[in-house]
Amino acid sequence: MRILVTNDDGISAEGLTILESIAHAVAGPDGEVWTVAPAFEQSGVAHCISYTRPTMLSQLDERRFAAEGSPADCVLAGLHVVMHGQRPDLVLSGVNRGNNSAENALYSGTLGGAMEAALQGIPAMALSQYYGPANRETDNPFEAAAVHGAALIQKILAAQPQDAQDYRLFYNINFPPVPAADVKGARVAPQGYRHGCHFSAEEQLSPTGRRYLWIRGGNQHVETTPGSDAAVNLDGYISVTPMRADLTAGDAMDALKAVEWTGE
């Protein structure tokens, strides 16, 4: 296999090194792993692309590059420049430092990279490691992802359905906040929602009186709908969530027929 790897935590992130090892295991001894990752951290940029400015690209090693842009930029750079038009069989994004379950998925640059690959017609998966009291202070908080990632990716590749839709499937994978030995298994789960858990802004003043804002996250360990991604993660399971970039709210279509009209 030929695999393209990216992330949103940056080219020097520990989780990227973990993902490169996972990718090599999936690609096999005769496969290729290419890395194009942001030169600087790009957490929270979602599916942003640097449409109005150029992106500097630097080669760091054989098949390893850093781009001064978003994860989606990195995927575009990999597909259209770095890999010389030889499309990869798979794009992997991560392993993110922290979960991208529930509403976090909407902000995630990790998912943004996988989404861009799907829009380009390439199978893609985003991988994230939930943090919590059981793994945050361990020698390797990414252990669950490192131990279980490659086998899970291979299972998804073997089981994924035929997909002829315009908006192609991609997969959001979140590893639970526990050591590898305590992972209970994997569950296919819908995207959840953490009630009362929102991003917020906090104002601070500098010594010179200038106003600054810090964006603050919410509690990542609140209860969510049973069976949803965050819920199974907190119960010790890996979540696998199939996603598409189509944002249409199908459940509202019929009710909104009342606004339709035809000018004659």
Side-chain angles (χ1 to χ4, degrees):
M1 292 185 72
R2 181 185 294 113
I3 299 176
L4 174 62
V5 170
T6 192
N7 75 344
D8 74 356
D9 288 326
I11 191 70
S12 300
E14 181 181 1
L16 182 64
T17 302
I18 298 292
L19 185 57
E20 287 170 326
S21 296
I22 291 171
H24 279 289
V26 174
D30 297 323
E32 295 179 3
V33 175
W34 296 74
T35 297
V36 184
F40 311 104
E41 183 169 353
Q42 295 286 312
S43 296
V45 302
H47 188 219
C48 164
I49 56 172
S50 300
Y51 187 66
T52 60
R53 61 177 176 82
T55 298
M56 182 175 291
L57 182 68
S58 302
Q59 183 165 3
L60 307 179
D61 205 340
E62 184 180 10
R63 298 177 187 162
R64 203 165 198 269
F65 297 77
E68 293 187 358
S70 69
D73 291 331
C74 291
V75 170
L76 292 172
L79 298 184
H80 298 286
V81 178
V82 168
M83 301 181 75
H84 311 294
Q86 296 183 347
R87 290 162 67 86
D89 302 299
L90 176 67
V91 172
L92 299 176
S93 184
V95 176
N96 191 66
R97 184 182 66 250
N99 78 88
N100 279 311
S101 302
E103 72 288 336
N104 286 4
L106 302 175
Y107 300 92
S108 168
T110 306
L111 264 75
M115 185 185 299
E116 183 56 42
L119 290 172
Q120 300 275 337
I122 298 170
M125 304 181 195
L127 294 83
S128 303
Q129 176 64 66
Y130 222 123
Y131 272 37
N135 72 336
R136 184 182 294 113
E137 303 302 329
T138 60
D139 291 338
N140 182 9
F142 291 92
E143 185 188 40
V147 171
H148 298 289
L152 180 62
I153 289 169
Q154 290 166 331
K155 287 182 178 180
I156 295 171
L157 290 173
Q160 64 179 341
Q162 292 292 322
D163 186 18
Q165 295 193 33
D166 290 334
Y167 287 101
R168 298 284 294 273
L169 282 170
F170 61 100
Y171 299 89
N172 185 21
I173 302 169
N174 284 275
F175 295 89
V178 296
D182 294 335
V183 173
K184 296 178 180 179
R187 293 286 183 267
V188 177
Q191 182 180 352
Y193 184 81
R194 300 180 181 92
H195 290 276
C197 178
H198 304 287
F199 283 96
S200 61
E202 179 180 287
E203 181 182 9
Q204 291 186 349
L205 294 178
S206 74
T208 60
R210 293 180 181 271
R211 301 170 68 190
Y212 290 90
L213 296 179
W214 288 99
I215 303 300
R216 299 180 62 88
N219 185 354
Q220 302 294 288
H221 291 261
V222 299
E223 291 188 8
T224 59
T225 304
S228 66
D229 52 6
V232 303
N233 293 155
L234 294 176
D235 194 29
Y237 290 90
I238 306 166
S239 63
V240 179
T241 306
M243 292 184 164
R244 297 187 193 276
D246 182 359
L247 301 182
T248 304
D251 58 313
M253 293 288 288
D254 287 341
L256 285 172
K257 291 290 184 181
V259 310
E260 294 185 347
W261 63 284
T262 301
E264 292 181 353

